[in-house]
Amino acid sequence: MRVFLVAGEPSGDRLGGALMAGLKTLIPDVEFDGVGGPLMEAQGLTSRFPMSELSVMGLVEVLPKFFHLKRRISETAQAVLDTKPDVLITIDSPDFSLRVAKIVKAASNIRTVHYVAPSVWAWRPGRADKMAKVIDHVLALLPFEPPYMERAGMECDFVGHPVASEPVATPEDIAAFRNRFDLGDAPILLALPGSRRGEIERLAESFGRALRLFIEAHPGYRVVIPTVGATTELVKERVAGWPGDPVVLDPRYEGADQALANKRSAFGAASLALAASGTVSLELAAQNTPMVIAYKLNWLTQKMAERMVKLDTVTLVNLVSDTRAVPECLLDECVPAKIADALRNVINAPDAQQLAMRLTMDQLGRGGEAPGLRAARAVLDRMQVDYA
């Protein structure tokens, strides 16, 4: 069986890596092709070009790279048509992925699967109907998503999220992490200003100023900043003046397993986290790390989002748990003073988020079959492929 996969950012790489591991478990001789990052490469993918080229978000950010991205869309679709895989699996990054799928569907009958249902329940509800023209099957991360996809005419399976089945840092892991990075017994504050260059460039200054205000009132905190390899140098540059003697976790000179272990231990060691909106809130919930979510967009993108977004929260922990336990400083509220106040409120009531985080992990399948394996079964079952 031949599978062509396309992922465009680190969260998609994580999903792709877990799905590939599941497919290899069920069909050991499966062959992979496509575009992905280090976790997918660790499962046997040779990426056709660096995944980091696709990690762009927001209208204004995309425009300067429009022609390059358009060329990559054409190249990727042509590679699918040339290699004739049994299935094309696109992972998140819908603005890129669905354009690839559209070209492939127009020229072939290759089956198309999209992993991560677009947030049609939050904004752009018409996207599901357009998506149904080029996608046969959707793998959903959230339990309330399948009806939205099925109403548009696509097959859809809730498969959970890999974060719910990943290891949790042990006390021994945390002690070794603290020793390795000379953190002693200091309380740790995680700072996670995003994985994309545009996010980091927009958020780093506000994050740094907010941390300064917080640490002035709560001295002794050490700041730890996990990074992805493609943006590590940018992060180092932007956090050079931050308080808390920052430790930047650089994955480029570590193996994939060690880099993940470092990140997991950092999450487990932290007393508090300040993070950009995204999948990272689920990673923090998995490690029971209290958090504040802060995010802002380019001005033009923000104005468009304000007209289309239908929800009062963007944090996945809040959405999945149906609570509003995680405080948010979004858009015009993403300013240092308000972020610092939110951090102080969380550290003064560190257990307030525990129930929401536990509910989130339960909803996403903690304790059940690994989501990557569930996703692999869903792909094969819908294709009526026999496997062990």
Side-chain angles (χ1 to χ4, degrees):
M1 181 176 179
R2 291 176 295 167
V3 180
F4 198 107
L5 303 105
V6 179
E9 54 189 308
S11 60
D13 182 44
R14 164 181 276 182
L15 294 170
L19 170 60
M20 290 169 68
L23 288 169
K24 287 163 64 177
T25 297
L26 300 176
I27 303 181
D29 61 350
V30 63
E31 298 177 4
F32 300 118
D33 195 355
V35 180
L39 299 180
M40 293 170 68
E41 290 173 339
Q43 294 296 330
L45 178 74
T46 299
S47 187
R48 287 180 171 263
F49 56 84
M51 184 188 72
S52 59
E53 292 186 18
L54 307 183
S55 295
V56 184
M57 182 177 181
L59 174 64
V60 175
E61 292 80 2
V62 168
L63 286 176
K65 299 184 178 181
F66 174 78
F67 291 107
H68 178 72
L69 290 171
K70 187 175 181 180
R71 184 167 62 253
R72 286 302 196 196
I73 289 168
S74 297
E75 291 174 359
T76 304
Q78 190 60 51
V80 177
L81 295 171
D82 290 344
T83 57
K84 297 181 176 63
D86 295 289
V87 61
L88 164 64
I89 303 177
T90 54
I91 307 169
D92 210 356
S93 302
D95 290 329
F96 184 90
S97 296
L98 299 184
R99 284 176 170 82
V100 171
K102 181 178 180 180
I103 296 171
V104 170
K105 271 298 184 188
S108 75
N109 62 355
I110 293 171
R111 183 169 177 81
T112 54
V113 177
H114 190 67
Y115 198 171
V116 183
S119 303
V120 297
W121 35 267
W123 69 311
R124 291 172 65 181
R127 178 186 282 186
D129 294 327
K130 294 179 180 178
M131 182 174 166
K133 297 175 182 179
V134 300
I135 295 296
D136 300 309
H137 181 200
V138 179
L139 303 174
L141 302 185
L142 306 178
F144 53 79
E145 291 177 321
Y148 293 93
M149 303 295 106
E150 291 166 348
R151 277 200 294 270
M154 292 172 282
E155 299 169 346
C156 187
D157 292 295
F158 165 62
V159 298
H161 197 294
V163 72
S165 63
E166 290 176 352
V168 175
T170 66
E172 293 76 18
D173 294 333
I174 292 170
F177 172 79
R178 284 182 170 276
N179 182 62
R180 181 178 183 189
F181 292 98
D182 196 25
L183 293 164
D185 296 325
I188 293 174
L189 198 165
L190 278 182
L192 300 132
S195 59
R196 305 179 185 93
R197 295 187 66 86
E199 290 174 327
I200 295 163
E201 289 167 348
R202 285 194 304 274
L203 295 174
E205 182 179 356
S206 295
F207 274 36
R209 291 168 59 196
L211 293 178
R212 187 169 300 283
L213 292 172
F214 175 80
I215 291 174
E216 285 175 355
H218 297 273
Y221 271 84
R222 294 292 305 277
V223 175
V224 175
I225 309 152
T227 67
V228 297
T231 57
T232 300
E233 287 303 322
L234 175 62
V235 171
K236 288 182 176 179
E237 173 189 322
R238 294 304 175 97
V239 309
W242 280 17
D245 191 14
V247 174
V248 177
L249 301 184
D250 186 342
R252 293 174 297 177
Y253 308 111
E254 310 265 17
D257 289 343
Q258 184 59 52
L260 275 177
N262 289 344
K263 182 178 179 180
R264 188 162 53 239
S265 295
F267 279 42
S271 303
L272 180 62
L274 171 60
S277 175
T279 307
V280 69
S281 72
L282 300 181
E283 299 177 63
L284 292 165
Q287 300 287 338
N288 290 315
T289 307
M291 70 192 87
V292 170
I293 300 299
Y295 203 74
K296 60 184 175 182
L297 298 164
N298 177 281
W299 182 85
L300 180 57
T301 306
Q302 175 177 327
K303 293 305 175 185
M304 295 177 64
E306 288 172 348
R307 294 171 62 89
M308 293 186 287
V309 173
K310 301 186 294 181
L311 297 178
D312 65 342
T313 180
V314 300
T315 300
L316 290 173
V317 172
N318 288 342
L319 289 167
V320 175
S321 66
D322 195 22
T323 70
R324 297 300 180 263
V326 177
E328 299 173 320
C329 298
L330 306 176
L331 305 179
D332 292 337
E333 303 291 306
C334 185
V335 294
K338 292 189 176 183
I339 296 170
D341 284 344
L343 290 169
R344 283 192 286 266
N345 290 338
V346 171
I347 208 62
N348 289 334
D351 296 330
Q353 298 177 28
Q354 293 302 308
L355 176 60
M357 292 192 288
R358 186 166 62 251
L359 285 172
T360 297
M361 290 300 107
D362 290 345
Q363 287 288 315
L364 295 185
R366 175 172 277 176
E369 186 174 58
L373 185 57
R374 289 175 62 182
R377 288 190 196 281
V379 170
L380 299 177
D381 288 346
R382 294 283 189 176
M383 295 176 67
Q384 299 184 335
V385 173
D386 292 330
Y387 55 89

